[in-house]
Amino acid sequence: MDQTRALGKTNLQVKRIGFGANAVGGHNLFPNLNDETGKDLVRTALDGGVNFIDTAFIYGLGRSEELIGEVVQERGVRDQLMIASKGAHKEGNGRIELDNSRDFLRGEVEKSLKRLKTDYIDLYYVHFPDGKTPLAEVAGTLKELKDEGKIKAIGASNLNYQQLQEFNADGYLEVFQSEYSLIQRDAEKELLPYCEKHGISFIPYFPLASGLLTGKFTKDDAFDDNRKNNPQFQGETFIQNLKKVDKLKAVAEEKKAETAHVALAWLLTRPAVDAIIPGAKRPEQLKDNLKTLDVELTDDEADFISGIFK
Ligand code: NAP
């Protein structure tokens, strides 16, 4: 499998399997995380040849970026790595609000640079729209930061189709990140075709549907993290999802591959999906997900798998 792709129309070359680092320091997202394990995850990613790491301010309110920055400095590998980060969340009065204003985003990029111990961020996304700042203006703020060399590529995340078009009014968008997996296919209607047409890389988040597509769950599993409130893990929807995953498991067995790897390999067959950023809580999971590169799906196999989850 071709292992490297350019991000959008940039010359930033990423390996197609990256690492989503929300469990590195993301103490506000997951219970019982440990900073040392977080750093080990980053070390394991680097040892495994990963060159694309996805973080955000909101993953631990800066802690994820700090831990990544420490390991990258310890290893002296900054120039070999593409770091993506995101901003829009503002802390204040004990609450988190969204802010896409020019002053706020410029300030956030400066803080991310310090936490990451670097003087540029390869890819910076506006994490969520704030519902008030015009999106073409937000893209303009990121273009300004790109022209100044503080960021190398412009990203946006969690926009609907209308917002995506507004953000890209001047053609600045290079990478779009949104939820997409075999379980959650909404992006296929408008978002993916738009990205394909405009040469924008689409990076799916929750590529394993938060672990559901690994095939490790049964109907008796209970959850104490954000899966507790995720409709895909509730009642009849959960049971139906497990049945579909069983069918995927059978495909994987026939190919002598793991279910998770087939689910991730399927994503890599989708147009505009230049790279994926599966998350991991433990280094073994991260290493395991890199085996996706050994799985080649024919067009017929990819279609068959699409059909299971339609
Ligand atoms: P994911 O990739 O769908 O699932 C990752 C989870 O699945 C892991 O934390 C682990 O959880 C389990 N897992 C992973 N590999 C496994 C393996 N080989 N065997 C068994 N279990 C395995 O979900 P995600 O990490 O939340 O999303 C990926 C990345 O997308 C994030 O890290 C983050 O960088 C990004 N993201 C972005 C947004 C956004 O708004 N832009 C939103 C969400 C995520 P357990 O061990 O607990 O089961």
Side-chain angles (χ1 to χ4, degrees), residues 213-260:
L213 288 164
T214 62
K216 68 180 176 179
F217 295 127
T218 71
K219 64 178 179 28
D220 301 321
D221 278 302
F223 303 94
D224 64 350
D225 55 17
N226 51 5
R227 289 176 279 215
K228 195 169 55 183
N229 303 315
N230 179 337
Q232 299 297 349
F233 289 81
Q234 314 296 323
E236 190 49 30
T237 307
F238 185 43
I239 307 251
Q240 290 308 320
N241 282 336
L242 292 174
K243 285 191 181 150
K244 293 175 192 168
V245 173
D246 275 344
K247 291 186 187 159
L248 181 67
K249 226 180 241 180
V251 175
E253 271 163 25
E254 235 169 78
K255 288 189 72 69
K256 303 201 180 347
E258 299 286 329
T259 313

Side-chain angles (χ1 to χ4, degrees), residues 17 40 106 153 193 213 236:
I17 310 217
D40 277 342
R106 289 188 62 88
L213 288 164
E236 190 49 30

Side-chain angles (χ1 to χ4, degrees), residues 23 26-34 223-228 281:
H27 302 283
N28 54 336
L29 307 176
F30 304 107
N32 311 316
L33 292 185
N34 163 317
F223 303 94
D224 64 350
D225 55 17
N226 51 5
R227 289 176 279 215
K228 195 169 55 183
K281 303 271 169 30

Side-chain angles (χ1 to χ4, degrees), residues 36-49:
E36 226 11 78
T37 306
K39 285 167 73 168
D40 277 342
L41 280 163
V42 181
R43 293 184 186 110
T44 304
L46 297 175
D47 291 340

